[in-house]
């Protein structure tokens, strides 16, 4: 086992297969034991180290996917934005990549070739092609791309003056779904997954003049992908989030984890108590000057501590500090600076503890009810994908107006503006990977892909106080292969971050006609049970709520992670008329009455804050490809049901005081 961890550890260091050669050297040179278990020691070891099932072994081996060299906190780094207009070639037949024998071309569009003379045959030209905005999905930018699923080639030209003794990376906030990135005709790498960031080093490839960065983005749905072919959200394609050049010193602070020390040994779910004054964490340098004296400074808390990093550029630390704890009422963020001789990075970090006790969720040791709402990454008042800080402020601002202290970001990691804005506004966050409905549970690549998306999500947001829950999945069918798959994700999540709670949005079953029971077998592996229910919409009429008595087989907190029904804003009728605001309002009134009777309920996140686009919703004059379950319309108008939840949460808020 030690050797496996050693290989994984070194692969991460040496950046994927390229480093395989050095692995071999090292294997010969220094048998010993590294591995990210060291990282755990800084925060907490998981109980049993042994690998059980095939899936366990895979998770063991793949705990750190090869391309895991993500740079975190790009917001506070020296960057050059490549956002703006990019030339594009829409290539449904991937003619820019494959030849007529469907073999990859060596001189594809990524070469950006220009005819050298009047006779040379070149059948594409980026510089005469149309443009698309980045960040942005392509579907909402051009009518003829509204339903488009396929490949689009993006090209951005730029000059770049690299400062001495620096390295440069190209960083992409997200690209949906599969992307291949090239600079000056050279392939930098590939990325799968439409909702997490990735970066490639370009130090040796970038030049002073006329660089051309080309990204092949393909959002074609695939059965073995994550998500798979059917979802209830629009498959927005493109460079949907920012693209930046990140300039760093030769050896720099690539990754770090700074949080309050979590409960020891017994773990959170068993009521282990997290520390409210001991900060614990680690720092990962990237470069060749790896042994450094690294200082962590939190001036407002009078903290200035220095630690030594080892030959792998890894340092762990633990120290006490007098802190104001972060909470929705007091979203206190500290300015934290990490620095050593040649690099320094600062971040705004809040400190809070989150744990469970029986069916209660405890924030900073006190029970809290999660007054929540589910949110899709739909730009407010727009048919496009959200990406900006302004979008985040509008969406979370509406949730605040509804008296929420919690947001379920569904069904994939949202752009980084969301958790960072939630940190500032004081909104607790549920963050999820798109293991949605029925993916291929027995496909090893699907598992690796899900593990990679999970790793990237946690890597990017692990220092956000607002994020309290990592969700492994949504509405997945109970079954052996599925259970094993999800267990492997939980193991990975806990090994990367023992400070947060693990959950998933599951479905209920029935003990009796009116007795829903939460008994999904996967429930035993999570800290908090999410349960989606649509009583009064997909299941009967709103009055059905009156007859229900909820039960659970677990002594754990339950969040009703989805509830609700549709309404077209402005359509008014009696409460029995579907799609009317009165029907939705009455449904919510009945739901609230039912929810108040559930003794083990620790939170709710109704489906959903705003109407959102979905290809599964064609009903003319009502849906027109919008899922109308929003409490706020696609034009930003509040429906009557919005006020039912606002009043319910106001009452809960009062009760908590
Ligand atoms: C499901 C699912 C959502 C979907 C919603 C709906 O429960 O999780 O993604 O949009 O129901 O049907 O509106």
């Amino acid at each position: 086992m030690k050797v496996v961890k050693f290989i994984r550890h070194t692969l991460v260091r040496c950046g994927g297969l390229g480093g395989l050669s050095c692995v071999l050297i090292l294997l010969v040179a220094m048998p010993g034991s590294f591995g990210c278990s060291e990282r755990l020691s800084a925060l907490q070891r998981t109980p049993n180290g042994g690998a059980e099932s095939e899936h366990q072994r895979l998770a063991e081996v793949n705990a750190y996917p090869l391309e895991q060299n993500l740079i975190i906190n790009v917001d506070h780094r020296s960057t050059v934005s490549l956002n703006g207009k990019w030339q594009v070639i829409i290539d449904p037949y991937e003619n820019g990549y494959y030849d007529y024998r469907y073999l990859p071309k060596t001189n594809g569009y990524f070469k950006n070739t220009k005819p050298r003379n009047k006779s040379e045959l070149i059948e594409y030209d980026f510089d005469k092609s149309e443009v698309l905005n980045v960040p942005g999905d392509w579907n909402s930018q051009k009518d003829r791309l509204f339903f488009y699923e396929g490949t689009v080639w993006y090209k951005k030209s730029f000059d770049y003056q690299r400062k001495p003794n620096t390295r440069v990376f190209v960083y992409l906030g997200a690209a949906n779904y599969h992307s291949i990135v090239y600079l000056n005709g050279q392939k930098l790498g590939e990325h799968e997954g439409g909702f997490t960031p990735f970066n490639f080093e370009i130090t040796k490839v970038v030049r002073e003049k006329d660089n051309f960065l080309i990204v092949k983005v393909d959002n074609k749905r695939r059965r073995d992908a994550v998500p798979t072919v059917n979802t209830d959200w629009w498959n927005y394609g493109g460079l949907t989030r920012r693209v930046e050049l990140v300039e760093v010193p030769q050896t720099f602070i690539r990754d770090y984890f700074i949080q309050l020390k979590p409960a020891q040994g017994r773990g959170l779910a068993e009521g282990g108590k997290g520390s409210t004054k001991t900060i614990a964490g680690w720092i990962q340098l990237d470069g060749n000057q790896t042994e450094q004296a690294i200082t962590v400074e939190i001036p407002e808390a009078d903290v200035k501590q220095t630690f030594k990093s080892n030959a792998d550029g890894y340092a762990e630390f633990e120290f006490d500090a007098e802190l104001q704890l972060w909470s929705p009422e007091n979203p206190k963020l500290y300015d934290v600076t990490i620095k050593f001789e040649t690099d320094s990075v600062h971040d705004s970090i809040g400190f809070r503890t989150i744990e469970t006790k029986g069916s209660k969720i405890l924030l900073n040791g006190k029970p809290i009810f999660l007054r929540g709402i589910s949110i899709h990454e739909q730009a407010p008042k727009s048919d496009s994908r959200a990406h900006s800080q302004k979008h985040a402020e509008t969406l979370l601002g509406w949730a605040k107006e509804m008296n929420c202290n919690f947001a379920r970001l569904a069904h994939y990691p949202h752009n980084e503006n969301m958790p960072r804005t939630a940190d500032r506004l004081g909104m607790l966050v549920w963050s999820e990977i798109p293991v949605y409905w029925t993916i291929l549970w027995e496909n090893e690549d699907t598992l690796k892909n899900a593990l990679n998306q999970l790793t990237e999500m946690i890597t990017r947001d692990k220092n956000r106080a607002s994020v309290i829950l990592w969700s492994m999945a949504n509405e997945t069918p109970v079954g052996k292969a599925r259970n094993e798959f999800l267990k492997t994700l939980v193991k990975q999540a806990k090994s990367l971050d023992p400070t947060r709670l693990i959950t998933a949005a599951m479905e209920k079953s029935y003990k009796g006609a009116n007795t829903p029971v939460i008994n999904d077998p996967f429930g035993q592996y999570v800290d908090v049970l999410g349960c989606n229910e649509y009583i009064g919409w997909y299941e009967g009429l709103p009055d059905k709520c009156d007859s229900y008595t909820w039960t659970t087989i677990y002594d754990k907190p339950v969040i009703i992670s989805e509830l609700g029904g549709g309404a077209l804003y402005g359509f008014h009728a009696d409460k029995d008329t579907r799609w009317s605001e009165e029907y939705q309002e009455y449904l919510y009134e009945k739901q609230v009455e039912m929810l108040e009777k559930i003794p083990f309920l620790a939170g709710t996140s109704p489906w959903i804050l705003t109407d959102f686009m979905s290809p599964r919703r064609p009903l003319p004059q009502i849906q027109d490809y919008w899922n109308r379950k929003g409490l706020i319309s696609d034009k930003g108008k509040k429906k009557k049901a919005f006020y039912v939840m606002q009043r319910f949460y106001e009452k809960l808020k009062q009760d908590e005081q």
Side-chain angles (χ1 to χ4, degrees):
M1 190 52 61
K2 279 211 171 144
V3 174
V4 170
K5 288 192 173 161
F6 173 67
I7 292 175
R8 175 186 60 215
H9 188 85
T10 319
L11 276 172
V12 170
R13 298 264 160 294
C14 308
L17 290 172
L20 202 53
S21 51
C22 68
V23 169
L24 299 170
I25 300 159
L26 287 170
L27 261 178
V28 178
M30 332 152 34
S33 71
F34 284 106
C36 65
S37 54
E38 271 69 19
R39 298 187 178 200
L40 279 178
S41 65
L43 295 154
Q44 180 204 22
R45 281 189 186 290
T46 43
N48 55 3
E52 279 78 279
S53 73
E54 171 63 15
H55 278 299
Q56 287 323 88
R57 192 194 62 69
L58 259 172
E60 284 291 329
V61 171
N62 291 306
Y64 257 87
L66 293 177
E67 74 275 359
Q68 171 48 23
N69 67 344
L70 195 55
I71 300 174
I72 70 164
N73 187 15
V74 165
D75 284 9
H76 298 102
R77 308 255 184 189
S78 132
T79 58
V80 174
S81 171
L82 295 180
N83 293 344
K85 301 229 173 296
W86 288 53
Q87 280 110 359
V88 296
I89 299 175
I90 300 158
D91 186 13
Y93 283 46
E94 297 182 277
N95 182 52
Y97 189 80
Y98 294 107
D99 66 17
Y100 79 116
R101 290 272 175 261
Y102 207 61
L103 298 171
K105 286 178 175 172
T106 53
N107 63 346
Y109 292 175
F110 48 85
K111 289 291 183 193
N112 191 25
T113 312
K114 301 284 178 190
R116 281 163 297 187
N117 55 55
K118 65 181 178 187
S119 329
E120 190 172 12
L121 171 63
I122 303 290
E123 294 185 282
Y124 69 94
D125 184 341
F126 277 106
D127 297 324
K128 292 202 181 87
S129 298
E130 56 196 313
V131 296
L132 283 173
N133 289 321
V134 171
D137 62 273
W138 61 58
N139 311 74
S140 62
Q141 291 190 54
K142 293 185 188 287
D143 290 351
R144 67 186 212 281
L145 294 178
F146 184 62
F147 286 110
Y148 183 65
E149 295 182 301
T151 283
V152 170
W153 295 85
Y154 286 78
K155 195 271 286 184
K156 185 78 173 179
S157 296
F158 64 94
D159 298 341
Y160 188 76
Q161 197 59 42
R162 185 162 74 83
K163 299 190 191 64
N165 300 322
T166 62
R167 296 164 63 190
V168 198
F169 291 75
V170 59
Y171 177 94
L172 297 94
N176 192 47
Y177 171 75
H178 180 267
S179 40
I180 309 179
V181 184
Y182 306 83
L183 182 64
N184 302 335
Q186 190 176 322
K187 181 177 173 178
L188 301 174
E190 302 191 22
H191 184 264
E192 180 155 356
F195 304 100
T196 47
F198 54 104
N199 46 242
F200 300 109
E201 179 153 14
I202 60 170
T203 309
K204 296 201 179 75
V205 191
V206 73
R207 55 193 184 212
E208 260 182 54
K209 285 260 168 254
D210 305 327
N211 293 284
F212 53 93
L213 180 67
I214 292 182
V215 188
K216 174 187 185 295
V217 185
D218 182 357
N219 74 335
K220 265 200 302 300
R221 288 169 290 126
R222 295 196 333 267
R223 187 68 189 89
D224 65 336
V226 179
T228 184
V229 288
N230 59 340
T231 69
D232 190 28
W233 68 80
W234 206 265
N235 183 24
Y236 288 116
L239 296 177
T240 51
R241 295 180 190 159
R242 61 177 159 179
V243 181
E244 319 238 18
L245 300 178
V246 184
E247 189 171 77
V248 290
Q250 284 299 334
T251 299
F252 69 100
I253 300 159
R254 181 172 59 72
D255 195 359
Y256 53 86
F257 196 172
I258 302 190
Q259 285 285 296
L260 282 172
K261 187 168 183 169
Q264 289 310 300
R266 286 173 48 228
L268 287 166
E270 293 85 26
K273 227 168 155 15
S275 156
T276 57
K277 62 175 182 34
T278 306
I279 293 178
W282 50 262
I283 296 162
Q284 182 59 63
L285 305 183
D286 189 317
N288 41 33
Q289 305 301 318
T290 49
E291 297 187 54
Q292 298 283 350
I294 308 174
T295 301
V296 175
E297 272 184 45
I298 314 178
E300 245 188 301
D302 205 17
V303 166
K304 187 169 183 173
Q305 300 261 353
T306 301
F307 312 93
K308 281 204 106 356
S309 54
N310 63 20
D312 296 304
Y314 177 68
E316 59 191 50
F317 56 80
E318 194 171 306
F319 54 84
D320 287 358
E322 288 310 316
L323 299 161
Q324 271 185 59
L325 297 181
W326 181 99
S327 69
E329 294 70 36
N330 173 34
K332 171 66 187 165
L333 297 176
Y334 285 88
D335 215 24
V336 177
T337 300
I338 305 166
K339 62 182 182 192
F340 70 97
E341 197 192 335
T342 56
D343 192 22
S344 88
V345 65
H346 90 95
D347 204 346
S348 306
I349 297 181
F351 298 95
R352 52 99 191 96
T353 69
I354 189 75
E355 49 210 327
T356 66
K357 203 169 196 55
S359 65
K360 297 270 179 264
I361 294 175
L362 309 182
L363 175 70
N364 300 330
K366 288 203 288 310
I368 184 167
F369 186 90
L370 301 180
R371 307 186 307 268
I373 187 76
S374 294
I375 304 179
H376 251 306
E377 204 179 33
Q378 185 79 44
K381 307 179 190 170
S382 158
D383 60 359
S384 65
R385 187 164 283 299
H387 56 79
S388 70
Q389 184 168 328
K390 194 157 173 324
H391 292 151
E393 283 159 359
T394 303
L395 294 170
L396 295 174
W398 280 334
K400 273 273 180 192
E401 243 184 279
M402 213 171 102
N403 293 317
C404 291
N405 61 7
F406 172 59
R408 175 190 176 202
L409 305 185
H411 292 292
Y412 38 77
H414 287 210
N415 64 82
E416 194 172 346
N417 290 305
M418 285 297 266
R420 283 194 178 273
T421 304
D423 266 12
R424 285 193 302 277
L425 290 184
M427 187 70 72
L428 296 157
V429 164
W430 158 315
S431 188
E432 182 166 292
I433 51 171
V435 173
Y436 181 90
W437 289 346
T438 312
I439 66 171
L440 294 184
W441 310 111
E442 291 167 286
N443 180 308
E444 296 310 342
D445 291 334
T446 302
L447 175 63
K448 277 193 194 132
N449 179 355
L451 283 165
N452 184 48
Q453 295 189 41
L454 179 67
T455 303
E456 290 174 347
M457 171 175 80
I458 295 178
T459 300
R460 189 195 76 183
D461 293 341
K462 62 186 177 298
N463 293 305
R464 304 281 73 77
S466 56
V467 180
I468 55 167
L469 287 154
W470 299 123
S471 171
M472 302 300 112
N474 179 74
E475 292 186 355
T476 50
V478 173
K480 187 162 178 322
R482 169 262 196 183
N483 299 351
E484 280 301 316
F485 189 108
L486 297 186
K487 273 165 64 181
T488 308
L489 294 176
V490 172
K491 190 171 168 67
Q492 172 85 345
K494 293 229 179 239
S495 79
L496 289 167
D497 176 10
T499 71
R500 287 182 176 80
L501 304 174
I502 303 294
T503 190
M506 296 172 272
E507 295 168 294
K508 60 186 171 0
S509 42
Y510 281 89
K511 247 190 334 196
N514 297 328
T515 318
V517 58
I518 298 174
N519 60 0
D520 183 322
F522 179 57
Q524 66 196 286
Y525 302 105
V526 298
D527 302 310
V528 172
L529 303 155
C531 181
N532 295 357
E533 54 92 359
Y534 282 94
I535 302 159
W537 184 256
Y538 293 129
E539 233 180 285
L541 297 174
D543 289 336
K544 203 171 169 74
C545 294
D546 299 345
S547 57
Y548 273 33
T549 309
W550 282 77
T551 61
T552 173
I553 65 168
Y554 298 107
D555 178 23
K556 294 183 178 184
V558 167
I559 296 174
I560 296 292
S561 37
E562 287 184 34
L563 65 100
L568 178 64
Y569 174 77
F571 171 37
H572 295 288
D574 60 37
K575 65 175 182 43
D576 303 322
T577 304
R578 289 256 176 183
W579 304 112
S580 69
E581 287 196 45
E582 287 69 23
Y583 184 109
Q584 190 190 42
E585 178 186 39
Y586 184 62
L587 169 61
Y588 270 82
E589 285 162 357
K590 285 291 146 186
Q591 279 277 348
V592 165
E593 286 167 21
M594 178 184 71
L595 296 170
E596 288 181 310
K597 288 183 280 178
I598 304 178
F600 44 80
L601 191 63
T604 50
S605 53
W607 193 258
I608 183 164
L609 181 68
T610 70
D611 292 352
F612 62 95
M613 295 216 58
S614 166
R616 300 174 74 250
R617 311 292 171 173
L619 183 61
Q621 286 112 42
I622 297 276
Q623 296 175 317
D624 297 316
Y625 294 113
W626 287 88
N627 182 315
R628 296 290 183 194
K629 294 192 180 70
L631 294 175
I632 296 175
S633 77
D634 58 308
K635 301 280 183 293
K637 302 283 184 208
K638 297 183 178 66
K639 303 175 189 177
K640 283 184 162 183
F642 176 95
Y643 302 103
V644 176
M645 285 315 288
Q646 188 187 50
R647 284 192 297 274
F648 175 46
Y649 286 165
E650 177 60 34
K651 188 165 134 311
L652 291 178
K653 223 167 134 178
Q654 300 307 332
D655 298 353
E656 247 172 30
Q657 259 127 43

